Amino acid sequence: MEKQNIVLNKSYQFAIDIVKLAQGLQKEKEYVLSRQILKSGTAICALIKESKFAQSKPDFINKLSISLKEANETEYWLNLLKDTDYISEEIFKELNFTINEIISLLVKSINTLKK
């Protein structure tokens, strides 16, 4: 049985939530912001998934590092959406909590791999 990958599972559910958020933003005709958060918010999990078949340990670390950058960018877009009243405080808190969990897990993973 394959060991459960917490960061992969959390980032996949987060990607689903981001797709739903982007759909709502597009209904409001906020296409630029919806594309930005959709791109960065779904790339996190895609890069983690891609790292499974990394060619080497440095390649694995690189994929996770890029995923971390995408997570950090997504955190920026969430803050911007909240501060410009495109999303409610409640939605922000939920998504921000999750993205910070993902960031923490990625940082720990990368630091462990570098040791």
Side-chain angles (χ1 to χ4, degrees):
M1 182 188 293
E2 189 177 342
K3 193 169 109 175
Q4 188 175 10
N5 187 331
I6 295 169
V7 71
L8 179 64
N9 293 340
K10 282 187 180 294
S11 64
Y12 185 76
Q13 184 57 54
F14 183 77
I16 292 169
D17 293 340
I18 290 297
V19 168
K20 291 176 182 177
L21 174 64
Q23 289 171 334
L25 290 170
Q26 288 173 358
K27 286 179 185 173
E28 293 181 34
K29 305 227 185 295
E30 190 45 59
Y31 300 115
V32 174
L33 291 174
S34 70
R35 280 193 304 259
Q36 292 292 339
I37 198 160
L38 184 62
K39 181 181 174 293
S40 65
T42 58
I44 301 163
C45 185
L47 286 156
I48 294 168
K49 189 77 172 163
E50 188 179 335
S51 73
K52 184 176 180 179
F53 293 103
Q55 297 174 347
S56 63
K57 186 175 177 181
D59 185 35
F60 185 73
I61 293 169
N62 183 54
K63 298 282 189 257
L64 292 183
S65 296
I66 296 169
S67 181
L68 178 59
K69 289 178 183 182
E70 294 291 344
N72 188 53
E73 180 182 339
T74 302
E75 183 184 35
Y76 163 78
W77 292 119
L78 285 172
N79 278 288
L80 185 64
L81 288 167
K82 177 191 61 100
D83 292 342
T84 55
D85 298 321
Y86 279 104
I87 59 174
S88 68
E89 186 72 29
E90 182 182 333
I91 291 170
F92 171 77
K93 283 181 180 178
E94 191 175 305
L95 293 173
N96 193 56
F97 178 81
T98 304
I99 196 63
N100 281 299
E101 276 187 316
I102 293 168
I103 288 170
S104 178
L105 289 167
L106 286 168
V107 167
K108 288 175 187 173
S109 296
I110 292 165
N111 287 340
T112 299
L113 287 163
K114 285 182 175 180
K115 289 181 182 178

